[in-house]
Amino acid sequence: MKSRTAPARPELAEQASQFILLERAVEQEYRPLMRAELQRRVNAVAQAAETTQPACPRCGQPMSRKDTRSVSWLARFGKLSAPVSRFVCRACHVQSRPLLDLLGVEPGRISGSLARLLALLAAVAPYSLAARLAWLLLGVEVDAMGVWRAAQRLGQAAAGYDEALSTYHADSRSQAAVSPDAPQTVVLSVDGCTLGIQVRPRRRRRKDGEKLPPLPAVADGHFREVKTGVLLLPEERVQTSPGRHSLVRRFLVSCLGDADAIFHRLYGQLRELGWMGANTTVVIVGDGAEWIWNRATWFIRRCEILDFWHALEHAWTFARLRYGDGSAQADRWVHQIGEDLRAGKVLKVIARLKRLHPPTAELRESLAGLIRYYSENAERMRYDEYLRLGYGIGSGAVESAHKQVIHARLRQAGMRWSEAGARRLLALRLLLLNDSWTLLDRMRMPSLA
């Protein structure tokens, strides 16, 4: 019997890690210097602010200084502090700390670029994992709740900005109602998916280090629909390979609200992009849901398209009943339907369906539903014309947007959300995926209870 020897333990390459050690040594050496320089500049701003006397935001009268205290907060390179004066209006009893408003920081909170970086990590990973990434990538030790607070505050700022932008463009008095350089055609795809919502009467709080019980299961009805829309230009859809197209640019809009809310935001985004002109045709691609077509009438110049693959799904439902699930005959029948629809022969398809005489009541009911569906949407199924114009005939763009905006972050295993938390995180993900993250630098972090 042959003796077996244990495999040799792999040696760690010490020389290969020397450069990594040098990099980390330099970072540790210069980090205090960068913090000191940042503190010096904060002190300069604080000294300049001491010479100004603020006016009351209510009555406009000069406010008097009440006291001055040292305030600290956590920034990218460590804890900073500054003497902050508090002013009060004796008539209105309104208090103000102008230096904190000027710097955009809060006492004892994570502020500045560190809060933005933590919110970025929270937008792509669960809060506990984002805290680990903060240590590995930034060298900042923060717990999951610290990441959560930064994401909630900045998410609230982003969500408020989206709502205000939608309200602004919904007002006929707002500027830039019509853009002279707007494109001739814009494609708009919209759809919805569900998100589990955890309904609790009050926020759970841990007392004296006790372990919180597990969250209850999501009951029936504790789901909300997240509606997502995609805006793109037909000329920016390129063919990467035969039968396969890719988008050069797209803009995503998402909303945890009703149909009116998502269309208000889509309309606002069109105007914000300068894509809404007097002669712009809005091509609406949908899956046949009534809430989509009812709001499509908001656009005077429009073209409504029924998603080609949803049209085929209805044909598959009847084919499986008629020929059996997985049968080759059903596959050939649906394939012929698809070829005819793609060629713009929807009326011929309807006429051919009407000539069928199924033997059972179930088949007759399914066939009647298919005929009714095609007849009601016949004007939205001129697929040959849409392909010739370059509009596209599928809602793949919005299906992909669902996965990127919602599924990849908010629909992981076991996740349940409060409505406020879901709205804030959706707003952050939209900024990231629309390449608009730098807008967050111009938003003030609201204080949340």
Side-chain angles (χ1 to χ4, degrees):
M1 185 175 180
K2 295 182 179 180
S3 61
R4 295 182 179 179
T5 58
R9 184 181 182 86
E11 296 293 337
L12 295 176
E14 296 182 0
Q15 295 299 325
S17 64
Q18 288 300 312
F19 183 69
I20 297 177
L21 295 176
L22 288 174
E23 284 185 309
R24 291 180 178 174
V26 170
E27 181 182 2
Q28 294 297 326
E29 180 180 354
Y30 283 93
R31 190 181 183 90
L33 298 178
M34 299 177 76
R35 176 188 171 279
E37 175 62 20
L38 183 57
Q39 180 66 69
R40 185 186 67 81
R41 299 193 180 191
V42 168
N43 293 338
V45 173
Q47 291 178 1
E50 287 294 316
T51 60
T52 60
Q53 187 177 14
C56 177
R58 290 186 181 178
C59 64
Q61 297 297 320
M63 305 177 72
S64 57
R65 191 189 309 270
K66 184 176 182 180
D67 55 25
T68 301
R69 298 179 181 179
S70 179
V71 170
S72 63
W73 63 91
L74 186 61
R76 173 71 177 84
F77 303 109
K79 183 177 290 188
L80 301 176
S81 62
V84 177
S85 297
R86 180 168 50 171
F87 294 82
V88 63
C89 176
R90 301 190 182 280
C92 304
H93 304 286
V94 175
Q95 297 187 10
S96 173
R97 290 187 284 188
L99 179 60
L100 297 184
D101 295 335
L102 178 63
L103 295 175
V105 299
E106 282 191 75
R109 298 289 183 90
I110 299 174
S111 302
S113 62
L114 178 58
R116 271 74 180 171
L117 291 172
L118 294 180
L120 175 61
L121 295 176
V124 298
Y127 298 120
S128 57
L129 179 56
R132 298 178 191 175
L133 292 175
W135 169 249
L136 293 174
L137 299 177
L138 308 175
V140 175
E141 189 173 358
V142 61
D143 59 7
M145 285 302 299
V147 177
W148 178 84
R149 291 189 187 96
Q152 292 298 303
R153 295 168 64 203
L154 286 169
Q156 179 63 30
Y161 174 80
D162 288 343
E163 294 174 2
L165 194 66
S166 175
T167 303
Y168 171 79
H169 286 295
D171 194 328
S172 59
R173 298 168 298 177
S174 60
Q175 299 179 357
V178 176
S179 175
D181 300 325
Q184 290 295 320
T185 307
V186 176
V187 177
L188 183 159
S189 299
V190 62
D191 197 7
C193 70
T194 58
L195 186 66
I197 298 295
Q198 182 63 54
V199 179
R200 299 191 298 271
R202 62 181 61 87
R203 182 177 172 183
R204 305 193 313 164
R205 296 184 182 275
R206 184 181 288 105
K207 297 180 180 179
D208 300 329
E210 65 175 347
K211 186 177 180 180
L212 291 175
L215 290 173
V218 178
D220 293 339
H222 289 174
F223 291 89
R224 289 289 303 277
E225 187 176 39
V226 182
K227 293 180 171 61
T228 302
V230 180
L231 302 173
L232 57 95
L233 300 178
E235 59 268 22
E236 293 185 350
R237 183 191 285 113
V238 297
Q239 185 171 356
T240 56
S241 61
R244 184 177 181 85
H245 293 79
S246 180
L247 295 175
V248 176
R249 179 175 52 160
R250 66 173 183 176
F251 289 90
L252 307 177
V253 179
S254 192
C255 174
L256 186 66
D258 57 14
D260 288 341
I262 186 62
F263 269 87
H264 275 301
R265 297 201 179 193
L266 287 166
Y267 179 74
Q269 187 64 55
L270 283 172
R271 287 186 30 161
E272 186 70 12
L273 293 170
W275 287 5
M276 200 65 185
N279 298 317
T280 300
T281 299
V282 181
V283 179
I284 300 101
V285 182
D287 60 359
E290 287 298 324
W291 66 267
I292 297 177
W293 308 131
N294 291 341
R295 275 78 183 178
T297 57
W298 292 10
F299 303 98
I300 299 176
R301 298 177 62 88
R302 66 184 183 275
C303 173
E304 301 176 7
I305 300 178
L306 177 69
D307 175 46
F308 177 76
W309 304 108
H310 279 84
L312 282 190
E313 282 183 8
H314 283 72
W316 268 113
T317 301
F318 173 72
R320 291 189 184 99
L321 285 175
R322 184 184 184 190
Y323 300 108
D325 194 5
S327 87
Q329 193 172 4
D331 184 73
R332 289 193 299 269
W333 188 82
V334 174
H335 180 76
Q336 185 60 50
I337 292 287
E339 291 294 324
D340 291 342
L341 291 180
R342 192 184 290 269
K345 301 177 182 178
V346 59
L347 296 180
K348 292 184 178 180
V349 170
I350 295 173
R352 192 162 69 243
L353 292 174
K354 289 181 178 180
R355 291 195 295 268
L356 297 177
H357 300 286
T360 66
E362 183 181 14
L363 282 173
R364 288 193 293 271
E365 183 180 357
S366 179
L367 178 61
L370 179 60
I371 294 173
R372 182 170 57 254
Y373 184 76
Y374 283 178
S375 300
E376 292 175 352
N377 293 283
E379 291 299 317
R380 305 184 180 105
M381 299 172 67
R382 301 192 300 269
Y383 295 123
D384 58 332
E385 179 182 348
Y386 307 145
L387 290 172
R388 179 174 54 81
L389 295 173
Y391 294 166
I393 59 175
S395 59
V398 72
E399 298 290 345
S400 174
H402 274 314
K403 296 177 181 179
Q404 295 185 21
V405 178
I406 302 163
H407 290 226
R409 177 63 181 90
L410 282 82
R411 287 190 60 172
Q412 298 184 32
M415 286 187 173
R416 280 80 52 86
W417 299 89
S418 67
E419 292 193 19
R423 283 195 181 94
R424 294 163 184 168
L425 201 57
L426 281 173
L428 291 177
R429 286 190 65 81
L430 287 176
L431 287 178
L432 177 61
L433 295 173
N434 286 332
D435 198 19
S436 304
W437 191 261
T438 54
L439 287 177
L440 210 57
D441 295 341
R442 296 153 57 187
M443 299 180 189
R444 290 191 174 273
M445 297 177 64
S447 178
L448 302 177

